[in-house]
Amino acid sequence: LLEDVTSTWSAVYLRDSLGTGAVVAGFGFIALQAAQTVGRFAGDGLVTRFGDRAVAQVGASLALVGMKLALVFPTPVTTIVAFGMVGAGVGTLIPGAIRTAEALPGLAPGTGLTWVTTTIRVGLLLSPPLVGLVADVASLRVALVLMPALALGILVLSGALGRRTA
């Protein structure tokens, strides 16, 4: 959800709420995708060294701090940097969730993968209208308060992910 909310709403938020032009508004999405790509490439080495749990906790903390800063100091620069921090923070979450779900005892091969990807798809379908609904009722800035809350949820739930193994 963190990834989807950022990719779906970052340009709208930068343009409509922070008053940037279209070119600058696009940098929110670019920051998310670029940082997430770097996070995915670097993530394997980090997960091998520290484990899915530790990497997810650091990533969730990074996204939490970034979005809190962007909401407290709502400028184009802090917001674009925050969206990049979200991208870097979520880069390893989906692979880690899949690894953990596939390792659950008693499940047939592929069942964990199916549950994780189904959950992701449901989230991708629900998050844009949910954020849009809150934005219509209050504002997009208020709707984006959901992002630090989601990052906090990841931080709490990351205990379910695997620890580093020898």
Side-chain angles (χ1 to χ4, degrees):
L1 292 177
L2 274 172
E3 175 186 345
D4 187 56
V5 170
T6 304
S7 66
T8 303
W9 293 99
S10 61
V12 175
Y13 179 69
L14 284 161
R15 186 193 67 212
D16 294 352
S17 298
L18 300 183
T20 68
V23 171
V24 174
F27 282 115
F29 179 77
I30 291 168
L32 168 78
Q33 294 298 311
Q36 186 174 6
T37 300
V38 170
R40 288 255 164 92
F41 282 127
D44 283 341
L46 293 171
V47 167
T48 299
R49 182 169 182 165
F50 302 107
D52 280 314
R53 181 180 304 169
V55 173
Q57 289 170 338
V58 169
S61 298
L62 188 64
L64 175 69
V65 168
M67 285 312 299
K68 283 181 93 172
L69 286 172
L71 293 168
V72 171
F73 304 106
T75 69
V77 171
T78 57
T79 303
I80 291 168
V81 169
F83 291 151
M85 291 170 75
V86 169
V90 301
T92 64
L93 292 179
I94 291 173
I98 290 170
R99 271 190 298 278
T100 300
E102 279 296 294
L104 289 173
L107 293 181
T111 303
L113 173 66
T114 301
W115 278 104
V116 170
T117 56
T118 300
T119 302
I120 290 168
R121 290 184 195 324
V122 169
L124 292 175
L125 289 173
L126 295 178
S127 66
L130 174 65
V131 171
L133 177 69
V134 175
D136 280 347
V137 171
S139 72
L140 185 51
R141 186 163 185 261
V142 169
L144 291 182
V145 170
L146 175 67
M147 293 185 66
L150 289 169
L152 185 60
I154 292 168
L155 193 57
V156 169
L157 295 174
S158 63
L161 295 173
R163 289 184 184 263
R164 182 179 170 271
T165 57

